[in-house]
């Protein structure tokens, strides 16, 4: 099912929560709405589902305008953040609930529930009640219930936020495999960058009710469209620089940058920096922090600005580095934005 929003807005109280949003999702895509809390992600999802009505704009599903349709008539499966399972129903009853409401024949319901139990890895749990399940199992039951009526569109509102990190990682991998096996269009709302980039075909960055950027994970990482996106995505160094004659300078650190002379904000991702022992060098190591299979090295540039880089634990660039070591610094990729001067009135 393809999706199109044209200039959709929704306000609650003083200001817009969704502000003139337009986006398009192709049939069969798995996309993520990613952004900080309060950015309008969940409201966009609920408008597509028909659980919220837009104040302005149009919602199109599969080439048909659906603004006037009730949620039950949109052929959409919705997975909520906190499962929303029926405590008085067992696993089989929860999965088959939507089919029962649609008055499907009992034999059809039993067959569909059995199919989904196997697909979701829930075999043997059909008579268990939600209270006796783990968080990961409850989430899979919620997904199975959403898929039971065979919707053409699956909407997921931060579905893994209530489970621990290990289960969350397993569920996101499982969701990607499921999406590849089941022909369905999916939209996932999350504020977890690793989650979005691990499973999405495309990512929409949401901020203050607007779409800041849309693209593949690689496009967003390597070519952020704004200073906000560059800062928001990944571990970044945010530095004050100045452009002079085609070079941006951060203290003694220079990088080619074709822009007008003037003050700028420099964003450098932690993996786009190289440090190595060098005397006299242009910086000093301030701290070295082991982080599992990575090592974070924090340094102070001559002139006082701090920056950090991450290296594989066995990297040869770490040889000889310790607190106080003088180092050379190389930037392999950076982005810069001019700092707009404030006009006093």
């Amino acid at each position: 099912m393809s999706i199109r929003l044209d200039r959709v807005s929704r306000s609650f109280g003083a200001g817009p929560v969704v502000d003139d949003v337009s986006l398009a999702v192709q049939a069969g895509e798995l996309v993520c709405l990613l952004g900080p809390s309060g950015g309008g992600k969940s409201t966009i999802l609920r408008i597509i589902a028909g659980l919220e009505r837009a104040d302005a704009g149009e919602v199109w599903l599969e080439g048909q305008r659906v603004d006037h349709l009730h949620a039950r008539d949109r052929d959409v499966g919705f997975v909520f953040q906190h499962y929303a399972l029926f405590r008085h129903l067992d696993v089989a009853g929860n999965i088959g609930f939507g089919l029962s409401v649609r008055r499907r024949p009992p034999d059809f319901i039993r067959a569909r529930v059995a199919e989904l139990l196997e697909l979701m890895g829930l075999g043997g749990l059909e008579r268990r009640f939600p209270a006796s399940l783990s968080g990961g199992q409850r989430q899979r039951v919620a997904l199975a219930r959403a898929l039971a009526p065979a919707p053409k569109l699956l909407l997921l509102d931060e579905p893994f936020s209530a489970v621990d990190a290990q289960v969350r990682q397993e569920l996101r991998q499982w969701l990607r495999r499921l999406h590849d096996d089941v022909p369905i269009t999916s939209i996932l709302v999350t504020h977890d960058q690793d989650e979005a980039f691990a499973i999405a075909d495309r990512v929409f960055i949401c901020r203050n009710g607007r779409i800041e950027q849309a693209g593949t994970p690689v496009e967003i990482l390597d070519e952020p469209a704004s200073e906000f996106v560059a800062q928001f995505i990944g571990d970044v160094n945010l530095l004050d620089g100045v452009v002079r004659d085609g070079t941006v300078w951060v203290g003694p650190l220079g990088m080619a940058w074709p822009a007008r002379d003037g003050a700028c904000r420099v964003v450098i991702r932690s993996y786009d920096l190289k440090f190595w022992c060098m005397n006299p060098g242009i910086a000093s190591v301030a701290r070295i922090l082991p982080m599992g299979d990575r090592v974070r090295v924090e340094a102070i540039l001559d002139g006082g600005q701090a920056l950090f880089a991450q290296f594989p634990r066995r990297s040869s660039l770490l040889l000889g580095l310790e607190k106080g070591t003088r180092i050379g610094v190389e930037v392999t990729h950076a982005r810069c934005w001019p700092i707009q001067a404030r006009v006093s009135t």
Side-chain angles (χ1 to χ4, degrees), residues 315-334:
S315 172
S316 60
L317 293 174
L318 293 170
L319 295 175
L321 291 189
E322 58 185 34
K323 184 176 181 179
T325 302
R326 295 290 293 174
I327 57 173
V329 179
E330 179 184 345
V331 178
T332 57
H333 189 75

Side-chain angles (χ1 to χ4, degrees), residues 89-93 95 113 117 122-129:
L89 295 179
D90 59 19
V91 168
I95 294 174
V113 168
L117 285 167
L122 295 168
L125 301 179
E126 54 268 28
R127 296 306 167 203
R128 297 268 293 273
F129 286 84

Side-chain angles (χ1 to χ4, degrees), residues 40-311:
K41 307 182 298 297
S42 293
T43 303
I44 292 172
L45 206 69
R46 292 175 68 85
I47 288 172
I48 293 171
L51 300 175
E52 293 282 352
R53 188 170 292 275
D55 298 326
E58 301 175 356
V59 180
W60 295 72
L61 300 180
E62 201 72 345
Q64 300 294 319
R65 188 170 176 181
V66 298
D67 306 42
H68 61 290
L69 293 181
H70 190 276
R72 64 174 173 267
D73 299 319
R74 296 194 186 188
D75 199 13
V76 170
F78 201 103
V79 180
F80 295 91
Q81 183 173 351
H82 295 292
Y83 320 130
L85 298 179
F86 300 110
R87 291 180 292 177
H88 66 289
L89 295 179
D90 59 19
V91 168
N94 268 282
I95 294 174
F97 178 79
L99 298 174
S100 299
V101 169
R102 290 168 173 81
R103 301 184 184 279
R104 298 295 175 85
D107 288 346
F108 177 88
I109 295 175
R110 282 193 293 271
R112 181 62 172 158
V113 168
E115 177 187 358
L116 287 165
L117 285 167
E118 181 178 356
L119 181 65
M120 301 293 173
L122 295 168
L125 301 179
E126 54 268 28
R127 296 306 167 203
R128 297 268 293 273
F129 286 84
S132 67
L133 301 177
S134 69
Q137 290 169 337
R138 292 179 195 176
Q139 195 55 272
R140 280 184 281 164
V141 173
L143 279 162
R145 183 179 62 185
L147 289 171
K152 295 181 180 178
L153 173 61
L154 181 63
L155 305 178
L156 306 106
D157 190 4
E158 301 204 40
F160 309 140
S161 62
V163 297
D164 62 52
Q166 181 63 37
V167 174
R168 187 179 186 122
Q169 184 173 1
E170 293 172 358
L171 282 172
R172 69 172 64 140
Q173 294 170 350
W174 173 82
L175 176 62
R176 181 68 247 190
R177 290 195 300 269
L178 174 69
H179 186 272
D180 292 339
D181 293 339
V182 178
I184 193 169
T185 306
S186 303
I187 302 180
L188 170 71
V189 163
T190 183
H191 61 269
D192 186 315
Q193 299 174 23
D194 292 338
E195 188 165 278
F197 291 165
I199 67 175
D201 299 315
R202 288 191 299 143
V203 178
F204 293 83
I205 306 295
C206 302
R207 180 195 185 200
N208 296 334
R210 289 180 171 269
I211 303 298
E212 192 87 5
Q213 183 176 357
T216 66
V218 170
E219 288 169 345
I220 288 174
L221 279 168
D222 289 348
E223 298 298 331
S226 68
E227 184 179 342
F228 167 78
V229 175
Q231 293 181 41
F232 178 70
I233 299 299
D235 290 327
V236 299
N237 294 275
L238 181 61
L239 305 166
D240 292 324
V242 60
V243 179
R244 292 195 300 268
D245 300 326
T247 300
V248 58
W249 292 94
V250 178
L253 178 62
M255 298 155 278
W257 190 258
R260 294 169 56 184
D261 287 3
C264 66
R265 191 67 47 82
V266 183
V267 178
I268 308 172
R269 303 201 184 285
S270 60
Y271 51 77
D272 284 324
L273 277 166
K274 292 181 181 179
F275 296 165
W276 66 93
C277 294
M278 181 179 181
N279 201 352
I282 61 171
S284 297
V285 174
R287 193 160 56 152
I288 298 177
L289 299 172
M291 302 174 64
D293 62 346
R294 311 285 294 175
V295 175
R296 174 182 168 119
V297 180
E298 299 178 356
I300 304 295
L301 283 167
D302 292 349
Q305 292 202 66
L307 72 167
F308 70 94
Q310 291 194 43
F311 303 95

